[in-house]
Amino acid sequence: MGTETEYGISTPSHPGLSPIVTSTHAVVAYAAMNTGARSRWDYEEESPLKDTRGFDLRRYHTVPVVEPDAVGIANVVTTNGARFYVDHAHPEYSSPEVLTPRDVVRWDRAGDEVMLTAAAALAAQGDQIRLYKNNVDGKGASYGTHENYLVPREVPFLTIAAGLLPFFVARQVLVGAGRVGLGQFSEQPGFQVSQRADYMEAEIGLETTLKRPIVNTRDEPHAFGEKYRRLHVIVGDATLCDVATLLKVGTTSLVLGLIEAGAAPALELADPVAAIRAISHDPGLTRQVALQDGRDLTALEILAAYREAVENHLGTDVDDDTREVLRHWDAVAADLGEDPMRCVGRVDWVTKLAVLEGYRRRDGLEWGDPRLAAIDIQWSELDPARGLAARMRASGRLETLVGPDEVREAMVVPPEDTRAWFRGQCVSRYAGQVRAASWDSVVFEPAPGTRGLRRVQLPEPLRGSRADIEPLLDSV
């Protein structure tokens, strides 16, 4: 599994400057400072408009290798096996593939540090940018924090979707980032649980930038297509609390295990799109949503049904990574049911709400006050001197699962137990000879005296680990 984060970006000294240009500058500056020779992105196997339901909306063919510094499509493959590039009008960091929720937290946090390094590189050139790990600009635009999970192709997609819809609708109370304003354009004053909920407009679909679905149907496995799917999840928020990030991917992985085993609870919402918004608009967590069988359940009750199913399926003999997820799931769910404020420092929306309520009490602010919207944005700013979440982490008020040394190491070192190790090591060891790379291949320049490029395919995500291939690389 892994994450993709599109970061908000602004240039206060030049507010009219295109974010496409500033995002490009950020990627290029980071590459110049940290990676030396540039590797391009290999688009040969990219198919973002292929739908798992059997159709393809591609209207063009992208050339396999694109110049890495081109405005709007700048790319760098980093030594930790990640991808740092421009996606539309945002700098985006896509983490390397990992096997555990805790490693997701580690390499996701490494992405924040990559962004700060890029900002520092630009500042050294006299250009100031600000970066935000959030999903809305408060003026109607939303951008994504996506998750990716490797799942067996043999499990029917509609079975996956049916099992995930109620879970995704309810999951936000554990892992929502919180937001000032109700509606896509913050038409109504108030505070809600999720940044993305108001932008979900369909139950199932292919789109990611409009008519966004709760369950996405993109069929781009980046692996053996006949063996695997890559479940591309667009419904989640950008989280800054380690516990929330762990729960986001850990609980979803456990639910996917239920679905694969045919053990998911039999729940079907009457109107998932209305339900995800209703739950988001109720920080008190008392709102019930209708099921097709006539029952009305709260988000915590829906999650409890999934938790019970996990318990019945796995029993008590579980590995340490699973045990960690279950421990946090149980603790957070219990505290949310008793008093959400007990989750300050672990759950983003609760922690943000506590900060905002402090300002409201001190200054007598109503929810429609623009100062609260400004605080919402400042919460997510990455700059450790300005960002409220960053300052809370530095002062120990956010529960951390990975230390700063681990995060700094993950900026440059790939995970050892997936193909990301091979990708990152190739960029690190053979920077001048790596022509391009993607999730499932590395393309090398020809050796002196030979012709043509050499593409090494990596269709199996669990092959290419350090144990598999380090002796070979050491011998070359």
Side-chain angles (χ1 to χ4, degrees), residues 354-371:
V355 170
L356 290 165
E357 290 288 12
Y359 281 99
R360 275 166 41 84
R361 287 191 300 269
R362 188 190 73 181
D363 299 330
L365 304 179
E366 299 295 331
W367 277 115
D369 195 296
R371 284 173 287 182

Side-chain angles (χ1 to χ4, degrees), residues 131-132 240 375 377-394:
L131 294 160
Y132 308 86
L240 289 157
I375 294 167
I377 296 291
Q378 190 178 356
W379 164 267
S380 62
E381 187 168 350
L382 293 184
D383 185 339
R386 295 177 51 86
L388 298 182
R391 288 161 61 182
M392 288 184 71
R393 180 184 291 118

Side-chain angles (χ1 to χ4, degrees), residues 135 145 171 175-178 193-197 235-239 248:
N135 303 108
T145 297
R171 185 187 72 163
V175 301
V193 168
S194 169
Q195 298 222 331
R196 290 283 274 180
V235 72
D237 290 354
T239 44
K248 180 166 59 177

Side-chain angles (χ1 to χ4, degrees), residues 10 34 36 65 88 110 128 169 177 188 231 235 285 344 363 368 371 387 394 400 410 417 450 466:
S10 69
N34 289 276
V65 176
H88 299 291
Q128 299 289 335
V169 166
Q188 301 175 45
L231 180 68
V235 72
L285 306 185
V344 169
D363 299 330
R371 284 173 287 182
T400 56
D417 46 11
T450 63
R466 183 174 186 174

Side-chain angles (χ1 to χ4, degrees), residues 326-363:
L326 294 177
R327 176 171 60 83
H328 285 292
W329 189 350
D330 290 342
V332 169
D335 286 343
L336 287 173
E338 187 70 26
D339 177 7
M341 286 300 136
R342 292 185 177 184
C343 294
V344 169
R346 292 177 289 162
V347 176
D348 284 66
W349 73 266
V350 175
T351 312
K352 181 187 289 184
L353 179 58
V355 170
L356 290 165
E357 290 288 12
Y359 281 99
R360 275 166 41 84
R361 287 191 300 269
R362 188 190 73 181
D363 299 330

Side-chain angles (χ1 to χ4, degrees), residues 42-85:
D42 179 11
Y43 288 90
E44 182 69 31
E45 301 299 327
E46 300 278 300
S47 54
L49 296 180
K50 185 178 180 182
D51 194 297
T52 195
R53 295 169 293 183
F55 50 87
D56 195 329
L57 298 181
R58 281 182 293 182
R59 300 179 181 89
Y60 58 89
H61 178 70
T62 305
V63 294
V65 176
V66 177
E67 288 300 318
D69 294 348
V71 173
I73 52 175
N75 272 279
V76 60
V77 184
T78 58
T79 59
N80 71 349
R83 182 188 183 193
F84 180 26
Y85 70 113

Side-chain angles (χ1 to χ4, degrees), residues 76-150:
V76 60
V77 184
T78 58
T79 59
N80 71 349
R83 182 188 183 193
F84 180 26
Y85 70 113
V86 179
D87 186 40
H88 299 291
H90 299 271
E92 176 165 333
Y93 170 86
S94 296
S95 77
E97 310 92 317
V98 298
L99 298 185
T100 70
R102 181 176 279 265
D103 276 351
V104 169
V105 176
R106 183 182 177 192
W107 269 274
D108 183 77
R109 288 265 306 277
D112 299 346
E113 296 301 318
V114 166
M115 291 292 158
L116 288 171
T117 303
L122 283 177
Q125 301 172 13
D127 298 323
Q128 299 289 335
I129 63 170
R130 292 180 182 169
L131 294 160
Y132 308 86
K133 193 175 186 180
N134 64 354
N135 303 108
V136 294
D137 66 354
K139 302 174 183 177
S142 179
Y143 29 97
T145 297
H146 300 166
E147 307 148 50
N148 297 287
Y149 303 87
L150 196 70

